[in-house]
Amino acid sequence: MKNISMKFTNKEIYKGLAVCTNNFHDLTVALEAHLENKKRLRIVTINPEMLVAADQNQEFFKAVKAADLVIPDGMGIVLLLKKKGAKDATRVPGIELSWKALELAIQQNLPIAIIGSTDSALEGSLKTITEKLGKPNLIYSHNGFFDEKEKLQIQNVLFETKPALVLVAMPFIKQEIFLAELFEKGLNAIAFGVGGSLDVWSGKVERAPLTFQRLGLEWLWRVLGQPERFSRLLKTLLPFVRIYFS
Protein backbone atom coordinates (compact mmCIF):
# COMPACT_ATOMS: atom_id res chain seq x y z
CA MET A 1 0.00 0.00 0.00
CA LYS A 2 1.20 3.47 -0.85
CA ASN A 3 1.71 6.15 1.79
CA ILE A 4 -1.13 8.68 1.79
CA SER A 5 0.46 11.02 4.33
CA MET A 6 1.32 13.64 1.69
CA LYS A 7 -0.02 16.96 2.83
CA PHE A 8 -1.98 19.06 0.41
CA THR A 9 -0.97 22.71 0.25
CA ASN A 10 -3.89 25.11 0.20
CA LYS A 11 -4.25 28.86 -0.11
CA GLU A 12 -7.31 30.83 0.89
CA ILE A 13 -8.61 32.91 -2.01
CA TYR A 14 -12.00 34.27 -0.93
CA LYS A 15 -14.25 34.19 2.15
CA GLY A 16 -12.49 31.21 3.68
CA LEU A 17 -12.42 29.17 0.48
CA ALA A 18 -9.03 27.49 0.12
CA VAL A 19 -7.69 26.16 -3.18
CA CYS A 20 -5.06 23.44 -3.53
CA THR A 21 -1.70 24.54 -4.95
CA ASN A 22 -0.16 21.08 -5.46
CA ASN A 23 0.77 20.33 -9.07
CA PHE A 24 -0.72 17.70 -11.36
CA HIS A 25 1.97 15.12 -10.58
CA ASP A 26 1.50 15.44 -6.82
CA LEU A 27 -2.24 15.11 -7.16
CA THR A 28 -1.86 12.04 -9.37
CA VAL A 29 0.31 10.37 -6.72
CA ALA A 30 -2.25 11.24 -4.07
CA LEU A 31 -5.12 9.89 -6.19
CA GLU A 32 -3.33 6.59 -6.72
CA ALA A 33 -2.66 6.22 -3.00
CA HIS A 34 -6.21 7.14 -1.98
CA LEU A 35 -7.65 4.65 -4.47
CA GLU A 36 -5.31 1.88 -3.36
CA ASN A 37 -6.02 2.53 0.31
CA LYS A 38 -9.77 3.01 -0.22
CA LYS A 39 -9.74 6.50 1.29
CA ARG A 40 -12.49 9.01 0.54
CA LEU A 41 -11.71 12.25 -1.29
CA ARG A 42 -14.17 14.71 -2.83
CA ILE A 43 -12.58 16.99 -5.41
CA VAL A 44 -14.02 20.20 -6.83
CA THR A 45 -12.35 21.66 -9.91
CA ILE A 46 -13.11 25.38 -9.77
CA ASN A 47 -13.00 28.15 -12.36
CA PRO A 48 -13.97 31.86 -12.17
CA GLU A 49 -17.57 31.21 -13.24
CA MET A 50 -18.00 28.72 -10.40
CA LEU A 51 -16.43 31.10 -7.87
CA VAL A 52 -18.82 33.87 -8.91
CA ALA A 53 -21.77 31.47 -8.69
CA ALA A 54 -20.63 30.34 -5.25
CA ASP A 55 -20.49 33.95 -4.09
CA GLN A 56 -24.12 34.34 -5.17
CA ASN A 57 -25.43 30.97 -3.94
CA GLN A 58 -24.72 30.09 -0.32
CA GLU A 59 -25.76 26.44 -0.64
CA PHE A 60 -23.33 26.01 -3.53
CA PHE A 61 -20.58 27.90 -1.66
CA LYS A 62 -21.07 25.58 1.31
CA ALA A 63 -20.83 22.52 -0.96
CA VAL A 64 -17.58 23.77 -2.52
CA LYS A 65 -15.99 24.68 0.82
CA ALA A 66 -16.88 21.27 2.26
CA ALA A 67 -14.86 19.46 -0.43
CA ASP A 68 -11.61 17.77 0.57
CA LEU A 69 -9.79 19.41 -2.32
CA VAL A 70 -10.61 22.41 -4.48
CA ILE A 71 -8.44 22.39 -7.60
CA PRO A 72 -7.68 25.43 -9.84
CA ASP A 73 -9.28 24.50 -13.15
CA GLY A 74 -9.30 28.04 -14.59
CA MET A 75 -6.49 30.51 -15.23
CA GLY A 76 -8.42 33.20 -13.38
CA ILE A 77 -8.20 31.06 -10.24
CA VAL A 78 -4.47 30.54 -10.80
CA LEU A 79 -3.99 34.31 -11.10
CA LEU A 80 -5.99 34.81 -7.91
CA LEU A 81 -3.81 32.24 -6.12
CA LYS A 82 -0.67 34.03 -7.27
CA LYS A 83 -2.08 37.36 -6.09
CA LYS A 84 -2.64 35.78 -2.68
CA GLY A 85 0.99 34.63 -2.53
CA ALA A 86 0.95 31.14 -4.06
CA LYS A 87 3.58 32.00 -6.68
CA ASP A 88 4.05 28.40 -7.87
CA ALA A 89 0.35 27.72 -8.43
CA THR A 90 -0.44 26.04 -11.74
CA ARG A 91 -3.65 25.15 -13.51
CA VAL A 92 -4.86 21.57 -13.03
CA PRO A 93 -7.52 20.81 -15.68
CA GLY A 94 -10.32 18.79 -14.14
CA ILE A 95 -10.89 16.89 -17.38
CA GLU A 96 -7.30 15.62 -17.23
CA LEU A 97 -7.19 14.82 -13.52
CA SER A 98 -10.48 12.90 -13.66
CA TRP A 99 -9.23 11.02 -16.74
CA LYS A 100 -6.11 10.09 -14.77
CA ALA A 101 -8.31 8.89 -11.91
CA LEU A 102 -10.17 6.69 -14.39
CA GLU A 103 -6.89 5.30 -15.69
CA LEU A 104 -5.69 4.47 -12.17
CA ALA A 105 -9.01 2.89 -11.18
CA ILE A 106 -9.05 0.75 -14.31
CA GLN A 107 -5.46 -0.36 -13.70
CA GLN A 108 -6.47 -1.51 -10.21
CA ASN A 109 -9.78 -2.98 -11.49
CA LEU A 110 -11.67 -0.88 -8.97
CA PRO A 111 -15.46 -0.39 -9.17
CA ILE A 112 -16.53 2.81 -10.94
CA ALA A 113 -19.80 4.73 -11.10
CA ILE A 114 -20.54 7.45 -13.65
CA ILE A 115 -23.58 9.69 -13.42
CA GLY A 116 -24.53 12.50 -15.72
CA SER A 117 -24.94 14.05 -19.13
CA THR A 118 -27.11 12.31 -21.72
CA ASP A 119 -27.41 8.60 -22.36
CA SER A 120 -25.65 9.02 -25.71
CA ALA A 121 -22.76 11.00 -24.18
CA LEU A 122 -22.43 8.39 -21.45
CA GLU A 123 -22.39 5.57 -23.98
CA GLY A 124 -19.88 7.38 -26.20
CA SER A 125 -17.64 8.17 -23.24
CA LEU A 126 -17.58 4.55 -22.12
CA LYS A 127 -16.59 3.51 -25.63
CA THR A 128 -13.69 5.99 -25.63
CA ILE A 129 -12.63 5.01 -22.13
CA THR A 130 -12.60 1.32 -23.08
CA GLU A 131 -10.64 1.96 -26.29
CA LYS A 132 -7.99 4.14 -24.63
CA LEU A 133 -7.74 2.88 -21.06
CA GLY A 134 -9.19 -0.62 -21.07
CA LYS A 135 -12.57 -1.95 -19.98
CA PRO A 136 -13.71 -0.22 -16.79
CA ASN A 137 -15.26 -2.14 -13.90
CA LEU A 138 -18.41 -0.06 -14.26
CA ILE A 139 -20.86 -1.09 -11.56
CA TYR A 140 -23.36 1.72 -12.04
CA SER A 141 -24.26 4.47 -14.48
CA HIS A 142 -27.16 6.87 -14.90
CA ASN A 143 -27.82 9.95 -16.99
CA GLY A 144 -27.90 13.39 -15.37
CA PHE A 145 -31.64 13.92 -15.63
CA PHE A 146 -33.54 12.83 -12.54
CA ASP A 147 -36.02 14.17 -10.01
CA GLU A 148 -35.74 14.17 -6.22
CA LYS A 149 -37.19 10.67 -5.85
CA GLU A 150 -34.81 9.26 -8.46
CA LYS A 151 -31.92 11.11 -6.80
CA LEU A 152 -32.52 9.26 -3.55
CA GLN A 153 -32.69 5.97 -5.46
CA ILE A 154 -29.36 6.76 -7.15
CA GLN A 155 -27.77 7.62 -3.82
CA ASN A 156 -29.03 4.37 -2.31
CA VAL A 157 -27.56 2.38 -5.19
CA LEU A 158 -24.19 4.06 -4.70
CA PHE A 159 -24.16 3.14 -1.03
CA GLU A 160 -25.13 -0.44 -1.87
CA THR A 161 -22.61 -0.95 -4.69
CA LYS A 162 -19.71 0.95 -3.01
CA PRO A 163 -17.80 2.31 -6.02
CA ALA A 164 -14.21 3.39 -5.45
CA LEU A 165 -14.50 6.20 -8.03
CA VAL A 166 -17.58 8.31 -8.73
CA LEU A 167 -17.73 10.80 -11.60
CA VAL A 168 -20.70 13.15 -11.84
CA ALA A 169 -21.30 15.21 -14.99
CA MET A 170 -24.06 17.76 -14.52
CA PRO A 171 -24.34 21.56 -14.37
CA PHE A 172 -21.77 22.51 -11.75
CA ILE A 173 -24.12 23.75 -9.02
CA LYS A 174 -26.28 20.65 -9.22
CA GLN A 175 -23.35 18.22 -9.37
CA GLU A 176 -21.45 19.67 -6.41
CA ILE A 177 -24.50 19.84 -4.16
CA PHE A 178 -25.34 16.26 -5.18
CA LEU A 179 -21.84 15.06 -4.24
CA ALA A 180 -21.77 17.10 -1.03
CA GLU A 181 -24.99 15.37 0.07
CA LEU A 182 -23.48 11.96 -0.67
CA PHE A 183 -20.39 12.71 1.39
CA GLU A 184 -22.43 14.13 4.25
CA LYS A 185 -24.19 10.75 4.32
CA GLY A 186 -20.82 8.97 4.48
CA LEU A 187 -19.98 7.86 0.94
CA ASN A 188 -16.47 6.36 0.91
CA ALA A 189 -15.06 7.02 -2.56
CA ILE A 190 -12.97 9.30 -4.71
CA ALA A 191 -15.48 11.68 -6.29
CA PHE A 192 -15.27 14.34 -8.98
CA GLY A 193 -17.75 16.71 -10.50
CA VAL A 194 -16.66 16.59 -14.15
CA GLY A 195 -19.13 18.95 -15.84
CA GLY A 196 -18.92 18.68 -19.62
CA SER A 197 -16.13 16.08 -19.70
CA LEU A 198 -18.42 13.29 -20.89
CA ASP A 199 -19.44 15.41 -23.87
CA VAL A 200 -15.76 15.79 -24.77
CA TRP A 201 -14.84 12.15 -24.18
CA SER A 202 -17.80 11.00 -26.25
CA GLY A 203 -16.76 13.25 -29.16
CA LYS A 204 -19.92 15.28 -28.92
CA VAL A 205 -17.89 18.40 -28.10
CA GLU A 206 -14.37 19.13 -29.35
CA ARG A 207 -11.83 20.17 -26.76
CA ALA A 208 -9.71 23.26 -27.44
CA PRO A 209 -6.46 22.76 -29.42
CA LEU A 210 -3.30 22.18 -27.38
CA THR A 211 -2.11 25.76 -27.86
CA PHE A 212 -5.25 27.09 -26.18
CA GLN A 213 -4.95 24.45 -23.44
CA ARG A 214 -1.34 25.31 -22.67
CA LEU A 215 -2.09 29.02 -22.53
CA GLY A 216 -5.07 28.45 -20.27
CA LEU A 217 -7.41 29.85 -22.90
CA GLU A 218 -9.86 26.99 -23.30
CA TRP A 219 -12.62 29.38 -22.21
CA LEU A 220 -11.79 31.60 -25.21
CA TRP A 221 -11.97 28.62 -27.57
CA ARG A 222 -15.42 27.77 -26.22
CA VAL A 223 -16.59 31.35 -26.72
CA LEU A 224 -15.24 31.41 -30.28
CA GLY A 225 -17.00 28.15 -31.07
CA GLN A 226 -20.21 29.08 -29.26
CA PRO A 227 -20.76 32.87 -29.48
CA GLU A 228 -23.84 32.54 -27.28
CA ARG A 229 -21.40 31.95 -24.41
CA PHE A 230 -20.22 35.56 -24.68
CA SER A 231 -23.08 36.93 -22.58
CA ARG A 232 -22.37 34.24 -20.01
CA LEU A 233 -18.73 35.34 -19.96
CA LEU A 234 -19.71 38.98 -19.41
CA LYS A 235 -21.91 37.99 -16.47
CA THR A 236 -18.87 36.33 -14.88
CA LEU A 237 -16.18 38.85 -15.75
CA LEU A 238 -17.18 41.90 -13.71
CA PRO A 239 -18.10 39.99 -10.52
CA PHE A 240 -14.84 38.04 -10.77
CA VAL A 241 -12.84 41.25 -11.17
CA ARG A 242 -14.52 42.52 -8.01
CA ILE A 243 -13.57 39.34 -6.18
CA TYR A 244 -10.03 39.52 -7.52
CA PHE A 245 -9.46 43.02 -6.16
CA SER A 246 -11.35 42.51 -2.91
Side-chain angles (χ1 to χ4, degrees), residues 7-246:
K7 291 184 178 179
F8 297 111
T9 304
N10 297 288
K11 190 71 177 179
E12 183 179 331
I13 61 168
Y14 187 63
K15 293 185 177 180
L17 176 61
V19 175
C20 181
T21 60
N22 294 80
N23 61 33
F24 187 90
H25 175 265
D26 288 346
L27 292 170
T28 296
V29 171
L31 277 176
E32 185 174 12
H34 276 74
L35 283 167
E36 190 172 314
N37 290 276
K38 297 180 173 60
K39 297 294 182 179
R40 72 201 309 250
L41 191 68
R42 182 165 73 88
I43 301 170
V44 172
T45 59
I46 195 167
N47 59 32
E49 184 180 12
M50 291 174 67
L51 181 58
V52 168
D55 191 39
Q56 299 169 351
N57 183 322
Q58 287 305 302
E59 185 181 11
F60 179 46
F61 206 166
K62 181 181 176 182
V64 173
K65 286 182 69 175
D68 300 294
L69 280 178
V70 181
I71 307 298
D73 187 26
M75 279 306 298
I77 303 298
V78 174
L79 292 174
L80 188 51
L81 282 167
K82 290 180 181 293
K83 180 176 180 286
K84 298 294 184 179
K87 303 302 183 184
D88 295 329
T90 59
R91 180 172 175 253
V92 180
I95 191 171
E96 295 176 14
L97 192 62
S98 54
W99 182 261
K100 188 64 180 180
L102 274 169
E103 180 182 4
L104 293 169
I106 290 170
Q107 287 174 354
Q108 298 180 34
N109 194 35
L110 296 174
I112 298 168
I114 303 178
I115 299 162
S117 196
T118 62
D119 289 324
S120 61
L122 183 57
E123 182 181 350
S125 295
L126 290 171
K127 181 180 179 181
T128 300
I129 291 166
T130 301
E131 289 174 350
K132 296 188 175 182
L133 300 178
K135 186 173 178 58
N137 179 12
L138 186 72
I139 58 172
Y140 184 66
S141 66
H142 195 287
N143 64 43
F145 303 93
F146 48 82
D147 59 23
E148 191 67 20
K149 182 179 179 180
E150 290 172 309
K151 182 186 79 171
L152 294 175
Q153 293 172 344
I154 292 168
Q155 291 179 340
N156 288 335
V157 171
L158 292 175
F159 281 106
E160 290 170 3
T161 56
K162 298 179 181 179
L165 177 65
V166 178
L167 302 183
V168 177
M170 294 188 287
F172 57 74
I173 292 178
K174 184 178 180 181
Q175 75 183 10
E176 301 307 341
I177 291 175
F178 175 80
L179 283 170
E181 288 178 356
L182 279 171
F183 271 63
E184 285 173 4
K185 294 177 180 179
L187 183 70
N188 185 38
I190 305 289
F192 281 87
V194 297
S197 296
L198 296 190
D199 292 332
V200 174
W201 295 340
S202 68
K204 181 180 177 182
V205 173
E206 183 182 3
R207 193 178 176 194
L210 282 175
T211 301
F212 282 80
Q213 293 178 36
R214 289 168 180 163
L215 292 174
L217 295 174
E218 289 189 75
W219 60 269
L220 178 58
W221 172 262
R222 289 192 290 270
V223 170
L224 292 173
Q226 298 174 284
E228 64 272 14
R229 282 179 171 265
F230 185 70
S231 60
R232 182 169 153 184
L233 174 64
L234 288 179
K235 289 179 182 179
T236 296
L237 185 58
L238 291 179
F240 181 72
V241 169
R242 178 185 58 78
I243 290 172
Y244 184 86
F245 288 105
S246 64

